[in-house]
Amino acid sequence: MPRTTRTVSIGIAVAAALTFGVTACGSSGGDGVAADEKQTITVWAMGAEGEKLTDVAKEYTKANPNVTVKVTPVGWDVAHQKLVSAAAAGTLPDVAQMGGSYMGEFAELGVLEPVDTKKFDEKDFFPSGWKQGEVDGQAYGVPWYVDTRVLYYRTDLAEKAGVTKAPTNWKEMQDLATAYQKKAGTKWGLSIQPSGLDTVQNFYSFLYSAGGEIVDAKGKAVIDSPEAVKALKEYGSYFDKGLSNKSVQPGYDVVKDFGNGRVPMFFGGPWHVTLLNESQPQIEGKWAVANVPADKSSVSMAGGSSLVISKDSEHKAAATEFIKYLTDTKGQADWYKRTKDLPANTSAWTSGDLADDTTLQVFKKQMDTAKASPSLSNWTEITDKVDQAIGKVTQGKASAEDALKTAQSEIEALVK
């Protein structure tokens, strides 16, 4: 399942590497062991994925008795520091799970093996999923699973408010939020984060749908563009009009309020489907998902994880074969059954639940246009400046223009 994580500056990682005497370019580790020789490959996977992958590794070993796969589950709360320390000490596992926010940092350290594009074809994966594993046009990670955000809304309360279809654009979404309050008696119209850590993740659906970006393809800061200003004005208007809560406690879980009707709409990921089915059975059949309401177009953020191979690994051939097993059509369908993580390989969506479930197909459609964040080593520092700008607007402390002008100046200093 997706996790929100934060990384330290690349400067800290580089300093750690230098302390341990690791060069920036790393080592190829020689030719290594052939894939069909008896060997053990080490794998680090994070959170729930680490637990589930142990079972998959056992199945793989049954079919490939020459290879033992040793999986180490790593908590997301310590994952980044553990990877940094291992990179500095030259002890990274053969294979590691890595989110897009890590990729630029570790590629810059020179500790990742480039993807063998003869073994893995970019065309087999969602474009944004593949993009998350690229740094400066070079692929370092093979997409393992993806996620994105869509709009969850209470259909029963919408009908009570006189609305019978999902909103498809900004006006319809705000009209529905207003109708929820005035006609269906909900406390709020839409749950979006007002301020604090990673507020930007809620803002992406507005920013990208308006055609805006934080940093463009050339690496230039563009957060003060007319498109970005328009998006932040729209985002802020929900708070100005009392449609969204200006004060949300850290760790707030929208699922409960969605279930009791205080919050009738929110932007959520695929894991929310399971959470709602398991913890809010009283609203079964009374909610649905829809693609992100559009301004210029319907575009959401792309998330997920990739699988990388250490540049120093002596087992690159076997590691590559294991990653192929996890990311081909059969492996991806099996992983979905075990975890409900959305397959990154598009061919896995052509049969079974993935093809027949209308809710899942909304996520697939959103992934077709989802946008990945740039793989910059200091991306979390950059998005922190956007978080601050959003908070100023939602709390009425600055206009969208002024808040983004400040953020633009700060981000320009980070991307030079």
Side-chain angles (χ1 to χ4, degrees), residues 266-278:
F266 70 96
F267 290 102
W271 65 94
H272 281 111
V273 174
T274 301
L275 290 175
L276 288 170
N277 288 337
E278 292 180 350

Side-chain angles (χ1 to χ4, degrees), residues 5 7 23 29 74 111 131 164 231 245 253 262 272 274 279 307 336 381 401:
T5 57
T7 65
T23 63
V74 179
V111 296
K131 194 71 176 177
T164 58
N245 191 352
D253 183 6
R262 284 172 56 87
H272 281 111
T274 301
S279 68
L307 296 168
Y336 171 74
E381 292 179 72
E401 290 89 348

Side-chain angles (χ1 to χ4, degrees), residues 154 157 180-181 185-191 243 245 247 252 254-265:
R154 286 285 298 267
L157 296 176
Y180 273 134
Q181 278 189 327
T186 64
K187 176 67 175 178
W188 307 106
L190 172 70
S191 177
L243 296 169
N245 191 352
S247 179
Y252 169 71
V254 73
V255 170
K256 182 177 179 181
D257 280 348
F258 190 70
N260 63 33
R262 284 172 56 87
V263 169
M265 282 196 297

Side-chain angles (χ1 to χ4, degrees), residues 2-185:
R3 315 284 184 266
T4 298
T5 57
R6 299 291 281 184
T7 65
V8 296
S9 167
I10 183 64
I12 295 176
V14 171
L18 293 176
T19 298
F20 284 92
V22 179
T23 63
C25 61
S27 164
S28 66
D31 293 333
V33 182
D36 58 355
E37 292 186 36
K38 192 169 183 63
Q39 61 197 292
T40 297
I41 60 173
T42 55
V43 182
W44 287 2
M46 312 332 177
E49 279 75 28
E51 302 296 336
K52 297 289 186 181
L53 189 58
T54 299
D55 294 333
V56 177
K58 291 176 182 177
E59 294 296 321
Y60 182 77
T61 297
K62 289 179 183 178
N64 300 272
N66 60 307
V67 178
T68 298
V69 181
K70 182 180 179 182
V71 177
T72 300
V74 179
W76 276 112
D77 57 336
V78 298
H80 179 261
Q81 188 54 52
K82 190 173 177 69
L83 286 166
V84 168
S85 298
T91 58
L92 280 171
D94 299 303
V95 177
Q97 176 184 357
M98 190 165 285
S101 61
Y102 294 1
M103 201 66 66
E105 181 176 0
F106 287 90
E108 190 168 321
L109 281 174
V111 296
L112 303 181
E113 180 73 7
V115 171
D116 183 349
T117 52
K118 293 181 181 179
K119 297 282 189 179
F120 302 97
D121 191 342
E122 177 180 355
K123 296 178 182 178
D124 291 337
F125 303 92
F126 285 108
S128 57
W130 185 268
K131 194 71 176 177
Q132 288 181 84
E134 284 189 340
V135 181
D136 295 331
Q138 173 65 63
Y140 291 96
V142 179
W144 188 17
Y145 65 84
V146 294
D147 75 74
T148 189
R149 305 294 186 270
V150 298
L151 184 70
Y152 284 73
Y153 72 106
R154 286 285 298 267
T155 53
D156 59 334
L157 296 176
E159 289 177 6
K160 186 176 180 180
V163 179
T164 58
K165 66 182 184 67
T168 60
N169 57 48
W170 283 2
K171 182 181 184 305
E172 290 177 357
M173 181 166 65
Q174 191 157 126
D175 286 348
L176 178 55
T178 302
Y180 273 134
Q181 278 189 327
K182 292 183 176 180
K183 298 180 180 180

